[in-house]
Amino acid sequence: MSILTVSADHRHLEQEGKPFFWLADTIWSAFTNITLEDWAYYLKRRREQGFTVLQINTLAQWDRGESPLPWAPFALAEDGFPDYSQPQQDYFDHARQMCRMARAEGFTLALVVLWSNQVPGTWANHLIPRFAIPRDQLTGVLTKIYDSFDEFEPVYVISGDTDFPTEEANEYYQAAFDLLAQRGFAGLKTMHLRGRLTDIPDQFARQMDFYIYQSGHNSSGQATTYLAAEVLSNREPRRPVINSEPCYEQMGYSHNLYGRFGRFAIRRAAWQSLLSGACAGVTYGAHGVWNWVSAGLRPTLALGEAFDAPQPHQAALHFPGAWDYGFAREVFDTYGIGTLVPCQERVAHTSPEIRIAKTPDESLCLIYLPVNTQLTLNGDFSGRSVRAYDLASRRTAWLTPTFQEGVTTLPMHPFEEDVLLILR
């Protein structure tokens, strides 16, 4: 399996010269929490669903579920926090075995190097400062990570859930980039941003091969799905863009607000991202899988953004939204879509939640319609076939467009939930 590359138009990813759709699953806490038997089952299921990438933290995820397993990347000091001078080889051997199994199933690994709680001055480290890696031990930690995982040709995600608050924090991230360059690493590199953040320092944007953002789990911030895509797809230097952390299925709203993101909400997040400039792919997350919560054990070791309790992984792995995300990859593969260009000016409607994009040659036009309505488009689309995909059930219907006085009208579709319209 060859490493991923960036397309010549800097809009999508490729593998062996063909478009590669980044359909990732969020499994940050895999290396500490999952038995090899559970891992084998997990890989089989996600492969069946069409996933291509696994997003994993190389070190211990701070808000993972409690685990009876012995895996920890570093010995613990007397205060119970990691002693970063004492790596535990058993942990890295176990993680490497998991990587071999994932690669054998055809997955690309996206491995986080430094989660924000381990970097001084970040929002997460302010909550529990003792997690910070001492500066004089940083090179040793980075070297251990790269020595352990380079052979699997991963995408390195230099930062996790990061902001850029101080020069000290930025120095940690730069050290991670610099060491990769010194080692001659040829794979892709990126940074995972804190929720709703789009302001990347030029220093790092120049070193990233693609931009990823998270629209996240804040119930009032879901417009970030398309707003962040618009910002990052238009910034320089131009890079492919991915929403690598939309709202997770059955995640409670952040800051312990009452409510959860259901199947419709996560579908909406995916398609609004894909049609607004973040067309290189999308990441799924199931609440209970990303933190790998086991029945009967504490759901989390640290609160982080304070989410409501998850289902155990035995149930969360089977949430239906994972199949919906697999369908997004199927659409891109079936229609041979590599790049989509937003064309929002075509929608004669006041709601920005309706998103529209076209292929560069304009042979296809895709529209995400979250709520049923008669839709008016600026321009003549009357000569095109219009197929409506009911995203909840996969039923399809053919619609007949009409053109008059400079606008095309698409009638209401016959379904009850959100649809993807493909004009061909």
Side-chain angles (χ1 to χ4, degrees), residues 33 61-67 128 298-303:
N33 283 43
Q61 182 72 19
W62 70 319
D63 48 3
R64 65 196 182 278
E66 186 179 41
S67 174
I128 309 179
R298 283 192 298 162
T300 181
L301 295 182
L303 291 178

Side-chain angles (χ1 to χ4, degrees), residues 372 388 390 395-399 411-417 419:
N372 201 356
D390 178 354
R395 295 174 295 172
T396 62
W398 297 94
L399 306 183
M412 289 178 59
H413 58 77
F415 307 123
E416 296 78 35
E417 298 192 57
V419 302

Side-chain angles (χ1 to χ4, degrees), residues 211-233:
Y211 302 132
I212 60 178
Y213 68 94
Q214 60 159 313
S215 52
H217 321 292
N218 187 305
S219 60
S220 64
Q222 290 304 298
T224 307
T225 55
Y226 50 87
L227 296 176
E230 291 173 344
V231 170
L232 292 175
S233 64

Side-chain angles (χ1 to χ4, degrees), residues 59-266:
L59 304 183
Q61 182 72 19
W62 70 319
D63 48 3
R64 65 196 182 278
E66 186 179 41
S67 174
L69 302 177
W71 313 119
F74 300 96
L76 298 182
E78 291 184 0
D79 61 4
F81 286 91
D83 179 349
Y84 292 106
S85 68
Q86 297 190 56
Q88 302 285 85
Q89 190 57 45
D90 285 353
Y91 168 86
F92 289 96
D93 290 343
H94 170 70
R96 285 166 54 80
Q97 176 62 17
M98 293 178 69
C99 290
R100 282 190 287 271
M101 293 169 66
R103 292 288 281 173
E105 289 290 338
F107 289 101
T108 292
L109 298 167
L111 302 181
V112 177
V113 178
L114 296 171
W115 203 268
S116 56
N117 67 298
Q118 296 157 338
V119 177
T122 63
W123 74 272
N125 188 253
H126 279 308
L127 298 178
I128 309 179
R130 183 60 180 81
F131 271 127
I133 300 171
R135 184 63 183 87
D136 62 356
Q137 295 175 20
L138 179 60
T139 299
V141 171
L142 295 173
T143 299
K144 185 62 178 177
I145 292 170
Y146 296 150
D147 283 349
S148 300
F149 300 111
D150 275 2
E151 73 168 273
F152 302 108
E153 300 179 322
V155 173
Y156 276 123
V157 185
I158 296 298
S159 64
D161 212 2
T162 190
D163 51 0
F164 305 95
T166 66
E167 286 302 317
E168 182 184 24
N170 291 352
E171 182 186 353
Y172 272 59
Y173 301 135
Q174 189 57 57
F177 275 114
D178 289 345
L179 187 55
L180 275 183
Q182 293 167 18
R183 296 168 68 93
F185 179 73
L188 300 186
K189 305 170 293 299
T190 189
M191 303 181 83
H192 175 271
L193 305 181
R194 184 181 181 183
R196 299 166 296 285
L197 183 68
T198 57
D199 188 12
I200 305 171
D202 289 342
Q203 166 190 354
F204 297 120
R206 290 191 297 268
Q207 299 175 87
M208 296 166 66
D209 295 298
F210 59 102
Y211 302 132
I212 60 178
Y213 68 94
Q214 60 159 313
S215 52
H217 321 292
N218 187 305
S219 60
S220 64
Q222 290 304 298
T224 307
T225 55
Y226 50 87
L227 296 176
E230 291 173 344
V231 170
L232 292 175
S233 64
N234 287 305
R235 77 153 290 163
E236 295 293 337
R238 177 174 291 179
R239 302 281 191 253
V241 182
I242 296 169
N243 187 349
S244 72
E245 192 171 329
C247 51
Y248 292 165
E249 191 165 12
Q250 291 305 310
M251 177 78 95
Y253 300 156
S254 63
H255 308 299
N256 274 335
L257 294 179
Y258 180 70
R260 292 182 186 269
F261 295 103
R263 187 179 171 192
F264 164 74
I266 68 164

Side-chain angles (χ1 to χ4, degrees), residues 354-373:
I354 301 171
R355 308 308 294 181
I356 180 170
K358 63 184 179 182
T359 54
D361 64 2
E362 301 191 1
S363 62
L364 290 174
C365 184
L366 279 66
I367 303 171
Y368 175 69
L369 192 63
V371 177
N372 201 356
T373 188

